[in-house]
């Protein structure tokens, strides 16, 4: 486990400062041949390029829910790293009609509930306008919002939808309480949350937050299923394994984006599009991505129809790696964790899991491997997870198990 973690740490370290927008060189800022240069003092240098964007939070669209016409949804999201400027990502990716945005606001959250920290409420604009329409199948990124946010802050992203735009793109397993103002007209900019009388356990429309990051910063995408999405961990506590990884990477100014979808599959559509079909939208196109951690495949082993060809898994993993490399992103493969005692467990499926893990560990597919299996398996019964990590279903992880996964990545090489 330690060796695999060190390999992962080395992969992360190798990327800091080596990807993303490079600073301009003198050659890049030189004037064209024939241009007049004598009027410019030799001491003057071109202004530095703007600091790049980095992802600080993500929720991958996992399905649709009935629209909430007239309502304002105050989504509560927990940032991984901070910045002096931010922008919001919204989605109508799974909708069937144009999504009308009547107002979108952002603010730092107060101590609890839907209240904003006084003085932090900002209106997000889109091409300078406070309203927008997102076509079905589309995503939208806001203009930069002048709000400085600290690392590990809770942000309120409020979306008012004045009309029924059809099925709402959402993330089902938020494990976070958000708030709804049923009569949302004019309420998106309320600092006082009194109008937000209803709650929801889903994130509506919002799929990401970027911050303007210091040069050399960036983000890591955790790409997976319910084991990454956080099933089994404590509601409203931010104790998924990517949250723990974010804590440990924060001194290195690397954000962590959780692209987990409960029920997701590697090879086929299931809950949400398959890993292969959502790779670009949920991982490769995100801001400042340096490393992609792939922890997915257990639902293919257990699903219907069941995938039972190791070569198919290997081909899918190689496709992910190839596409990521084309974007300058390194890829870490995480071994599939035990689930002995779960109702779907069989000896044949366990054999398949072991063979897939051998490919991940030693098959030369990934740039590095993280041995999550070794981090959480019961030494006395390696087909099962440790009892101390088991929330009771023998598949997912409680807070201690999630922490073990996050801590399995040895960051010593980053110091």
């Amino acid at each position: 486990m330690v060796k695999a973690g060190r390999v992962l740490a080395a992969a992360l370290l190798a990327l800091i400062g080596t990807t993303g927008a490079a600073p301009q060189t003198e050659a890049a800022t030189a004037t064209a041949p024939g241009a007049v240069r004598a009027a410019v003092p030799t001491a003057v240098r071109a202004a530095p390029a703007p600091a790049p964007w980095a992802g600080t939070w993500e929720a991958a669209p996992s399905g649709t829910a009935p629209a909430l016409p007239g309502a304002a949804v105050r989504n509560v999201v927990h940032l991984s790293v901070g910045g002096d400027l931010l922008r919001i990502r919204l989605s109508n990716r799974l909708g069937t009609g144009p999504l009308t945005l009547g107002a979108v606001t952002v603010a730092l959250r107060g101590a609890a509930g839907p209240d904003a920290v006084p003085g932090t409420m900002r209106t997000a604009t889109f091409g300078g306008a406070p309203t927008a329409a997102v076509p079905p199948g589309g995503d939208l990124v806001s203009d930069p919002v002048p709000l400085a946010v600290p690392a590990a802050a809770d942000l309120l992203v409020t979306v008012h939808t004045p009309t029924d735009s059809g099925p709402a793109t959402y993330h089902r397993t938020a494990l976070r309480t958000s708030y709804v103002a049923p009569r949302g007209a004019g309420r998106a900019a309320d600092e006082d949350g009194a109008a937000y009388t209803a709650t929801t356990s889903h994130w509506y429309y919002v799929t990401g937050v970027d911050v303007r990051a210091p040069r050399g910063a960036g983000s890591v995408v955790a790409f997976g299923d319910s084991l990454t999405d956080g099933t089994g961990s404590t509601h409203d506590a931010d104790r998924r394994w990517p949250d723990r990884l974010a804590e440990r990477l924060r001194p290195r100014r690397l954000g962590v984006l959780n692209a987990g979808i409960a029920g997701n599959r590697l090879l086929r559509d299931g809950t949400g599009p398959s890993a292969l079909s959502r790779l670009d939208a949920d991982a490769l196109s995100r801001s400042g991505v340096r490393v992609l951690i792939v922890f997915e495949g257990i639902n293919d082993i257990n699903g219907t129809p069941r995938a039972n060809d190791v070569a198919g898994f290997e081909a899918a993993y190689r496709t992910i790696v190839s596409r990521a490399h084309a974007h300058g992103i390194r890829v870490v493969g995480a071994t599939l964790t035990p689930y002995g005692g779960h109702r779907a467990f069989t000896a044949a499926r366990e054999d398949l899991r072991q063979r897939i893990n051998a490919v991940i560990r030693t098959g030369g597919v990934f740039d590095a491997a993280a041995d999550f299996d070794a981090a959480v398996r019961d030494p006395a019964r390696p087909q099962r997870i440790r009892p101390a990590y088991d929330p009771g279903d023998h598949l997912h992880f409680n807070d201690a198990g999630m922490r073990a996964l996050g801590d399995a990545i040895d960051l010593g090489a980053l110091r």
Side-chain angles (χ1 to χ4, degrees):
M1 176 183 70
V2 173
K3 180 178 179 182
R6 286 176 176 161
V7 174
L8 173 56
L12 293 171
L13 177 62
L15 291 161
I16 294 179
T18 63
T19 59
Q24 288 184 310
T25 64
E26 294 228 12
T29 58
T31 54
V36 177
R37 300 184 61 173
V40 181
T42 57
V44 172
R45 292 288 184 267
W53 293 98
T56 183
W57 176 86
E58 176 180 359
S62 66
T64 60
L68 301 172
V73 181
R74 183 153 283 183
N75 300 278
V76 178
V77 306
H78 187 70
L79 308 183
S80 55
V81 292
D84 61 356
L85 202 65
L86 61 83
R87 62 187 185 185
I88 305 300
R89 293 174 177 264
L90 300 160
S91 183
N92 189 29
R93 198 181 306 166
L94 305 178
T96 58
L99 167 64
T100 300
L101 301 174
V104 178
T105 63
V106 295
L108 289 172
R109 187 191 191 194
D115 293 346
V117 173
T120 67
M121 185 65 68
R122 304 286 189 273
T123 296
T125 59
F126 307 89
T131 62
V134 188
D139 292 329
L140 185 65
V141 181
S142 76
D143 301 329
V145 177
L147 178 63
V149 293
D154 280 352
L155 192 71
L156 304 176
V157 182
T158 305
V159 181
H160 172 234
T161 50
T163 61
D164 187 347
S165 299
T169 297
Y170 82 146
H171 184 88
R172 179 170 57 93
T173 311
L175 294 176
R176 165 66 73 173
T177 301
S178 292
Y179 302 88
V180 180
R183 297 183 179 183
R187 295 298 187 181
D190 286 2
E191 289 185 344
D192 185 331
Y196 291 81
T197 56
T199 62
T200 178
S201 59
H202 315 306
W203 285 308
Y204 280 80
Y205 304 114
V206 60
T207 64
V209 180
D210 297 337
V211 292
R212 188 169 66 176
R215 192 163 302 284
S219 59
V220 176
V221 175
F223 196 70
D225 48 40
S226 59
L227 303 176
T228 298
D229 207 3
T231 300
S233 64
T234 301
H235 195 92
D236 284 332
D238 301 306
R239 290 178 181 167
R240 312 162 192 85
W241 73 260
D243 296 315
R244 175 56 181 163
L245 180 61
E247 290 178 17
R248 304 182 68 217
L249 288 177
R250 202 162 288 138
R252 298 290 180 240
R253 300 178 302 186
L254 284 171
V256 175
L257 303 180
N258 189 332
I261 296 178
N264 200 229
R265 298 174 69 169
L266 177 68
L267 303 172
R268 295 175 177 269
D269 291 346
T271 302
S274 72
L276 288 172
S277 60
R278 70 186 182 94
L279 179 66
D280 287 321
D282 290 343
L284 305 185
S285 65
R286 297 287 167 158
S287 297
V289 178
R290 309 298 180 87
V291 181
L292 172 65
I293 304 174
V294 178
F295 181 32
E296 188 143 25
I298 204 69
N299 289 327
D300 295 83
I301 294 175
N302 293 334
T304 302
R306 181 170 70 92
N308 56 14
D309 181 8
V310 174
F313 284 83
E314 180 173 350
Y317 290 143
R318 288 190 182 278
T319 297
I320 289 173
V321 171
S322 176
R323 287 166 59 185
H325 283 178
H327 291 261
I329 298 169
R330 295 282 299 268
V331 188
V332 174
T335 53
L336 305 182
T337 48
Y339 66 105
H342 186 267
R343 63 181 182 277
F345 179 86
T346 67
R349 291 173 177 176
E350 172 64 10
D351 177 69
L352 178 60
R353 184 182 73 88
Q354 294 290 356
R355 287 187 287 139
I356 293 169
N357 281 349
V359 168
I360 294 170
R361 289 187 183 104
T362 62
V365 175
F366 296 100
D367 299 303
D371 203 341
F372 283 1
D373 172 36
V376 299
R377 67 188 178 215
D378 185 348
R381 297 180 297 174
Q383 295 177 345
R384 293 175 175 254
I385 62 177
R386 291 175 182 263
Y389 298 160
D390 190 348
D393 67 0
H394 313 302
L395 172 66
H396 297 98
F397 297 100
N398 59 19
D399 294 351
M402 290 289 180
R403 187 178 184 89
L405 291 177
D407 285 345
I409 302 164
D410 183 2
L411 303 183
L414 292 178
R415 294 174 187 156

